[in-house]
Amino acid sequence: MFDNFHTKICDQLPFWMCNIDVHKPALRDLITNQRIYVHLPHRDDEGRRIFLCQLGRFDVGKDILYNFHDYIAYSGVTMMVSNREEETQVNGYVIFLDLTDQTMKHMTFMPIEFRRKLFGLFSNQLPARIKSMIMYNAGPVWETMWNLAGHFVSAKIKERMSYCKTMEEVYKLIPMRCLPREYLPDDYNGPCAGNLADIASKKIQEKKQNSKE
């Protein structure tokens, strides 16, 4: 599966995982400021890696540093870092899609044809065990995108999708201790993953330390 996946990537989406420079200003901005894709530091009770996707929270204005090629490279690098974790290879992922504030500009930031390719590769070729996908606060924009590209997603993944309208519903699927402070009630005093800015900063420091070693 790994060989097949990388062959497909190099052929169809070479800018996703080929010759990626993580020190490029555009990627640094995506990682540290936009924080669209975040590996949360704590695993759930089944040992699964939780992958937060904030698909309506990134800047799509005129003066942004990145384009959709950078966006795809960023998503690919983030996913493949976790794929190297032995525990993630065994126990798989929970993908938490926060669709709050998603607009048509967010959806069309990536051309629909590339989105279809991405859905197809994600569903049928990605060497990762997707155990659960949680869609929070989905609205008309998500429904439009799903109608255009959702048929590329495999039946197995569709069976593992859950839709949540409130965070109380999310808490039944993801332990509160695993979530960032921004996703917890103000009066919650228990363990959590920390705030998103600190999680992103820690990841940058880990990358710097690994590069020195």
Side-chain angles (χ1 to χ4, degrees), residues 36-195:
I36 308 167
Y37 301 109
V38 183
H39 287 147
L40 300 182
H42 306 316
R43 298 177 183 274
D44 71 4
D45 297 338
E46 298 179 49
R48 301 177 297 188
R49 172 64 72 196
I50 301 171
F51 193 29
L52 169 63
C53 308
Q54 301 186 108
L55 301 185
R57 301 292 181 90
F58 64 99
D59 189 1
V60 289
K62 294 181 179 180
D63 299 324
I64 57 176
L65 296 174
Y66 47 87
N67 56 36
F68 84 92
H69 291 87
D70 299 317
Y71 177 99
I72 296 176
Y74 162 54
S75 66
V77 167
T78 306
M79 178 67 77
M80 293 306 291
V81 166
S82 279
N83 283 350
R84 295 181 179 181
E85 300 171 340
E86 184 174 349
E87 192 170 356
T88 302
Q89 294 171 14
V90 173
N91 297 321
Y93 289 93
V94 171
I95 299 182
F96 176 27
L97 284 85
D98 179 3
L99 303 167
T100 303
D101 298 328
Q102 189 180 42
T103 67
M104 194 61 70
K105 285 186 177 181
H106 292 105
M107 191 186 79
T108 57
F109 182 72
M110 184 193 308
I112 189 61
E113 192 56 41
F114 286 102
R115 190 178 293 276
R116 286 172 175 162
K117 285 185 179 180
L118 200 62
F119 268 46
L121 288 168
F122 174 83
S123 180
N124 300 307
Q125 306 295 338
L126 188 69
R129 304 182 70 190
I130 308 301
K131 294 297 187 177
S132 174
M133 288 186 66
I134 301 164
M135 272 63 65
Y136 168 62
N137 223 5
V141 174
W142 171 262
E143 292 177 6
T144 299
M145 186 277 295
W146 188 252
N147 289 334
L148 290 171
H151 60 280
F152 286 91
V153 177
S154 69
K156 181 170 68 174
I157 295 295
K158 289 178 180 177
E159 291 173 357
R160 298 176 180 181
M161 296 172 67
S162 302
Y163 285 85
C164 297
K165 294 182 179 180
T166 67
M167 283 305 301
E168 285 71 22
E169 293 176 309
V170 174
Y171 300 151
K172 295 177 182 179
L173 301 173
I174 301 176
M176 295 174 77
R177 64 174 179 81
C178 297
L179 291 167
R181 173 62 60 189
E182 290 87 342
Y183 287 86
L184 297 169
D186 293 338
D187 59 354
Y188 176 77
N189 295 315
C192 70
N195 62 58

Side-chain angles (χ1 to χ4, degrees), residues 26-42:
L27 290 185
R28 299 279 291 189
D29 183 41
L30 285 164
I31 294 169
T32 60
N33 299 324
Q34 306 303 321
R35 298 191 291 270
I36 308 167
Y37 301 109
V38 183
H39 287 147
L40 300 182
H42 306 316

